[in-house]
Amino acid sequence: MRVLITSGRTIAQGKKLYYKDTPAYSDETARCFIHPFDLLELGAEEGDSLSLSTAAGEEVFSVAPSEDLVPGTVFIPCGPHANAILHAQTHGTGAPDYKWLEGTVTRTDLPPRSGWDILAGQGGAACPPVPAPSGGGGGGTVTVRDVVCPLCGCLCDDLVVRVEGGAVTSVDNACSLGSEKFLSRSRLMHPVSNDGGSWRAVDFEEAIRYAAEVLADAERPLLFGWSGTSAEAQCTGIHIAEAVGGVIDNCSSICHGPSILGIQEAGHPGCSLGVVKNRADVVIYWGSNPIESHPRHLSRYTTFADGKYRENGHHDRTLVVVDIRKTDTARIADEFIRIKPGGDYAAFSALRAILRGHADILPAGVAGIPRERLIQLADLCRNARFGALFTGIGLTQSPGRYKNVRNAIQLVDELNRHTKFTLTPMRGHWNVNGTNQTFSYLTGYPYGVDFARGTPYYNPGETTAVDLLGRGEVDACLIIGADPGAHLPKKCNEHLATIPTIVIDPFVSLSTSFADLHIPVACVGIDCEGTGYRMDSIPIRLRKILDLGLPTDEEVLSQILRLVREGAWSRATGRTELWSPVKVGGIPRAS
Ligand SMILES: Nc1nc2c(c(=O)[nH]1)N[C@H]1C(S)=C(S)[C@@H](COP(=O)(O)OP(=O)(O)OC[C@H]3O[C@@H](n4cnc5c(=O)[nH]c(N)nc54)[C@H](O)[C@@H]3O)O[C@H]1N2
Ligand SMILES: Nc1nc2c(c(=O)[nH]1)N[C@H]1C(S)=C(S)[C@@H](COP(=O)(O)OP(=O)(O)OC[C@H]3O[C@@H](n4cnc5c(=O)[nH]c(N)nc54)[C@H](O)[C@@H]3O)O[C@H]1N2
Ligand code: SF4
Ligand SMILES: [Mo]
């Protein structure tokens, strides 16, 4: 049966993001949500396996019946299974077709594979041993208040965390995604290098030298990630990229990068979340499912929050959701509008036409939405005292990409002739907004910055991670604060497997599978401090709540920068003895 395959977030997948070494993560990313009518046609039921096949590959999933979808469309959580069947085309935007993939589905008797097995098929190694939690660390019992959550762009700053014996034992006020990050024990405590398929412990100094050497030696190194680390570390990363003449890119290229392109074309009618909380009486989530992706967004900043001029919380506000599925957010909305996949551009244009007094020229329905419904929505927005439109990656990863966002901004512009209306992209990681801040103020560009010419050059679709890896163009990669192993299309990972790859991450990730070297670090917001930018660009300082004795991202990167600069200087002056080309004790160099 032919289907449209779309992927995204679920709570269960998000809760396991920091447990990627365990089978529980793979169990969640192997689900295929599919309408019962389609199951009837396939002769399959819950617990059975389905094979999804596309031009890029074939993978087995387990059936998760769901009436939230329309028949003919399936939904899979983002992860290694979804990306095993995804091609690496970005249509010149940097962002792959995560929300729009055509394929076929058939019933199969094979069980789904684990994420690690999938990556082994792409050239990756097995998971390194994760040390058992030491448990008995010192420090007694402490309760820390006003802790900031380092998970999503909400950057909630009201957590209460209990630390006992050197480990977090409970987290109050956080949602389940945030709590699980604090409670995870899937951490490495010393660097490991992949020695012909088996893992070998390396000391930090040796590891850092190797990393510097790989980056300095490469012709076209890529430094990718940065959303999961502090603004301070990002700045040092940019200096390294400049020193080695590499490309530095962050997660926005695959995520809200198209929102930034739209903003570059049409401006950003934004505001802080505090303003939304105090004033908004109409809140719209469009292509965004915060109940599963930003679980406290509604209770802290929008629908359920009491504000200065909205004292009765949700009684004073109207919540609208526009999505292709009846999501958990849609279920609690006052208005759920189901749109056809890829229909957003047309719907925004229709709303703009209505606001300009041209409702009569519209056909009976646009993108699956009846004309009357669109007229009602336009009226609701026009009559709002203060409207807030939150846009998700349902807009940036579906056909239309940045043009969808540009059209949404132009709609908001139009509404601002009648009332006050704002637009805020629902930024994903806790510091992905920070990447755009630091990249922009140091290089002039928000992501995808290429230093090969000595000065910064930016061209999404050319200088962005999926395009560079998909074309096999880079010859070394530093991954920090992102997990391409889990989240980039198969072709990108196949290339990572063939080049020297260094991962800097507190946790075991699926990218560890492709690492020649994994350097574990302190986790920002848990065992070290750092600055993050909330989705509305408000900088917030994250706190250190315990000490595991690990170096921070900032420290590791500063040392890499120092070595790279020393090497460049000694080469320039011919004084090679300063840059002794250390061949780190037997760490294999991929060819
Ligand atoms: N649980 C969990 N939470 C997370 C993450 C995680 O991995 N797990 N990751 C974080 C990150 S990196 C990000 S960017 C955010 C993303 O947060 P969201 O933007 O909420 O992300 P998704 O769930 O991928 O996609 C949002 C919605 O787009 C809809 N959609 C698909 N195609 C279309 C379309 O053509 N039009 C419209 N209008 N909608 C469409 C999907 O049905 C989905 O409900 O979440 C962050 N939070
Ligand atoms: N099929 C499909 N694939 C997708 C998507 C989709 O919708 N569908 N969505 C895409 C999107 S929007 C995004 S943003 C990406 C997800 O983007 P990724 O960046 O791959 O997401 P995570 O797996 O959360 O990776 C964050 C990494 O940062 C690490 N980390 C956490 N704290 C720290 C720290 O303090 N220091 C350092 N150095 N590292 C830290 C974590 O351990 C983790 O390995 O996935 C993309 N892939
Ligand atoms: S909503 Fe986001 S920032 Fe707030 S507790 Fe949950 S994961 Fe953390
Ligand atoms: Mo994202």
Side-chain angles (χ1 to χ4, degrees):
M1 181 196 298
R2 291 203 64 76
V3 279
L4 178 74
I5 303 165
T6 171
S7 58
R9 275 88 198 139
T10 69
I11 277 284
Q13 162 270 345
K15 280 168 68 175
K16 295 293 168 226
L17 270 176
Y18 286 89
Y19 300 80
K20 288 184 186 135
D21 53 321
T22 69
Y25 173 68
S26 293
D27 291 347
E28 293 307 333
T29 59
R31 292 193 197 286
C32 173
F33 293 84
I34 177 165
H35 196 278
F37 289 172
D38 290 340
L39 287 176
L40 212 60
E41 198 174 324
L42 290 163
E45 55 187 40
E46 186 154 15
D48 287 348
S49 291
L50 296 176
S51 170
L52 287 182
S53 157
T54 67
E58 190 173 356
E59 199 54 57
V60 178
F61 293 79
S62 66
V63 169
S66 169
E67 290 181 29
D68 301 343
L69 292 146
V70 293
T73 300
V74 301
F75 176 84
I76 44 188
C78 50
H81 296 78
N83 289 311
I85 53 172
L86 181 62
H87 60 82
Q89 297 297 324
T90 75
H91 316 287
T93 67
D97 283 323
Y98 292 132
K99 302 279 184 274
W100 181 278
L101 185 60
E102 288 170 16
T104 55
V105 57
T106 49
R107 209 188 156 304
T108 170
D109 290 327
L110 294 170
R113 296 191 287 172
S114 79
W116 291 89
D117 285 343
I118 292 174
L119 297 200
Q122 296 169 7
C127 185
V130 178
S134 61
T141 303
V142 214
T143 300
V144 196
R145 293 178 194 283
D146 302 323
V147 174
V148 182
C149 173
L151 196 125
C152 85
C154 289
L155 271 185
C156 300
D157 54 5
D158 59 347
L159 275 48
V160 179
V161 180
R162 201 174 160 83
V163 181
E164 286 175 86
V168 173
T169 52
S170 78
V171 185
D172 289 339
N173 295 347
C175 69
S176 55
L177 306 180
S179 306
E180 293 294 346
K181 181 169 181 182
F182 281 96
L183 294 168
S184 167
R185 302 280 189 275
S186 301
R187 295 189 58 170
L188 295 175
M189 300 311 286
H190 54 75
V192 287
S193 82
N194 184 343
D195 217 341
S198 62
W199 294 99
R200 189 170 67 79
V202 192
D203 71 37
F204 277 99
E205 203 183 330
E206 196 184 7
I208 288 166
R209 270 198 158 255
Y210 176 73
E213 187 190 288
V214 163
L215 292 174
D217 282 355
E219 281 281 317
R220 194 146 175 75
L222 168 68
L223 295 80
F224 177 70
W226 308 101
S227 308
T229 187
S230 65
E232 293 79 6
Q234 292 161 5
C235 292
T236 310
I238 295 162
H239 294 309
I240 298 175
E242 185 179 21
V244 299
V247 186
I248 185 161
D249 188 26
N250 57 61
C251 300
S252 25
S253 69
I254 53 174
C255 181
H256 271 290
S259 302
I260 298 173
L261 295 179
I263 287 169
Q264 284 168 342
E265 288 189 353
H268 184 194
C271 70
S272 77
L273 290 171
V275 175
V276 176
K277 172 178 162 161
N278 286 325
R279 296 183 186 273
D281 59 344
V282 170
V283 174
I284 305 174
Y285 291 101
W286 195 307
S288 148
N289 177 20
I291 291 290
E292 301 199 66
S293 309
H294 303 85
R296 298 183 70 211
H297 198 263
L298 290 96
S299 58
R300 272 175 66 83
Y301 307 116
T302 67
T303 313
F304 300 118
D306 294 344
K308 188 154 187 219
Y309 306 105
R310 299 285 169 259
E311 289 164 5
N312 301 311
H314 75 280
H315 297 292
D316 286 351
R317 310 191 203 256
T318 305
L319 172 63
V320 181
V321 168
V322 184
D323 204 296
I324 62 164
R325 300 178 299 143
K326 186 162 190 181
T327 59
D328 284 355
T329 315
R331 260 186 271 286
I332 57 166
D334 299 294
E335 295 276 337
F336 165 51
I337 298 175
R338 194 192 290 272
I339 190 166
K340 279 196 178 148
D344 304 279
Y345 188 90
F348 290 128
S349 296
L351 289 168
R352 289 173 63 194
I354 296 166
L355 289 168
R356 281 286 174 113
H358 301 303
D360 52 321
I361 61 159
L362 292 186
V366 176
I369 310 171
R371 179 175 53 204
E372 293 316 312
R373 215 67 216 283
L374 287 164
I375 294 173
Q376 276 169 13
L377 178 59
D379 283 345
L380 175 75
C381 293
R382 189 188 359 227
N383 295 324
R385 303 273 307 265
F386 185 109
L389 170 58
F390 291 97
T391 52
I393 55 177
L395 291 183
T396 62
Q397 298 175 344
S398 59
R401 299 281 202 288
Y402 69 100
K403 295 289 183 196
N404 291 335
V405 180
R406 189 179 86 165
N407 216 359
I409 294 170
Q410 286 171 325
L411 168 64
V412 168
D413 250 10
E414 195 65 47
L415 284 164
N416 275 302
R417 292 164 190 248
H418 305 275
T419 181
K420 180 75 193 163
F421 229 93
T422 62
L423 179 148
T424 307
M426 293 289 285
R427 304 308 303 273
H429 290 93
W430 65 272
N431 200 21
V432 65
N433 191 331
T435 63
N436 306 132
Q437 305 288 336
T438 53
F439 279 49
S440 296
Y441 75 65
L442 285 178
T443 74
Y445 303 112
Y447 60 94
V449 183
D450 183 353
F451 282 101
R453 295 158 179 78
T455 52
Y457 167 80
Y458 161 74
N459 188 18
E462 180 194 350
T463 59
T464 32
V466 170
D467 306 278
L468 289 163
L469 289 167
R471 287 195 305 264
E473 191 177 314
V474 296
D475 60 349
C477 189
L478 174 75
I479 295 165
I480 174 166
D483 188 5
H487 290 128
L488 292 195
K490 172 171 129 178
K491 201 167 175 206
C492 301
N493 288 336
E494 285 170 348
H495 185 64
L496 276 181
T498 66
I499 58 174
T501 298
I502 292 141
V503 171
I504 301 180
D505 200 308
F507 298 85
V508 173
S509 74
L510 287 189
S511 302
T512 311
S513 176
F514 300 115
D516 297 295
L517 176 68
H518 182 134
I519 308 180
V521 278
C523 181
V524 182
I526 301 181
D527 45 322
C528 74
E529 292 184 21
T531 306
Y533 285 78
R534 205 167 64 183
M535 64 167 72
D536 55 350
S537 305
I538 305 290
I540 296 179
R541 187 80 184 159
L542 283 85
R543 304 179 61 177
K544 171 177 179 168
I545 54 168
L546 53 87
D547 194 343
L548 296 176
L550 288 162
T552 64
D553 286 312
E554 269 179 85
E555 287 163 354
V556 169
L557 292 167
S558 303
Q559 291 187 46
I560 293 176
L561 178 61
R562 183 179 55 80
L563 290 173
V564 163
R565 280 185 175 159
E566 273 177 20
W569 181 76
S570 65
R571 270 196 293 264
T573 56
R575 293 172 59 192
T576 42
E577 76 277 11
L578 272 181
W579 177 247
S580 48
V582 206
K583 283 284 167 252
V584 185
I587 292 179
R589 306 288 302 273
S591 55

